[in-house]
Amino acid sequence: MMIVAEKSRQVGIHTLNEMLTKATQEGKAAVADLCSTRLDKLATYAANEGLSAAEIVELIREEAESICSKGGASWN
C-alpha cells in the first residue's frame, strides 16, 4: 500500500510541476504580447507626432520607469 501511495504522490508532484511550467510559459507569452503591443503603440505615437530621436529616447525611458514603478499595470 505504501508503494502505491508513494507512486501517487510522485505522479501528483509531476503533474503539479507540469502545471507550473505551463503557467509560467503562458505568463511569459502574455507579457511578451503586452510588451510588443505597447512598443508598437509607442512607435506609432512617435511617428505620428514626428518626434526627434532625443524625444523618442525620452519616451522610452519614461515608459520603462512607468513599467517599473507600477509593476506593469500601466500596460493595461
Side-chain angles (χ1 to χ4, degrees):
M1 192 65 157
M2 291 283 275
I3 294 173
V4 172
E6 179 61 25
K7 190 79 160 171
S8 178
R9 187 180 76 76
Q10 288 175 353
V11 169
I13 290 172
H14 181 71
T15 301
L16 178 60
N17 284 337
E18 287 177 347
M19 290 169 53
L20 290 172
T21 298
K22 183 178 179 188
T24 299
Q25 291 169 344
E26 289 173 355
K28 287 178 181 180
V31 168
D33 187 49
L34 287 171
C35 186
S36 175
T37 299
R38 187 64 188 150
L39 287 173
D40 187 54
K41 287 180 181 180
L42 289 173
T44 299
Y45 173 78
N48 289 343
E49 296 296 316
L51 298 183
S52 68
E55 291 170 321
I56 293 169
V57 168
E58 183 60 27
L59 182 67
I60 293 169
R61 286 186 176 143
E62 288 173 5
E63 184 67 16
E65 184 179 327
S66 177
I67 291 167
C68 244
S69 68
K70 296 178 184 173
S74 62
W75 286 6
N76 297 328

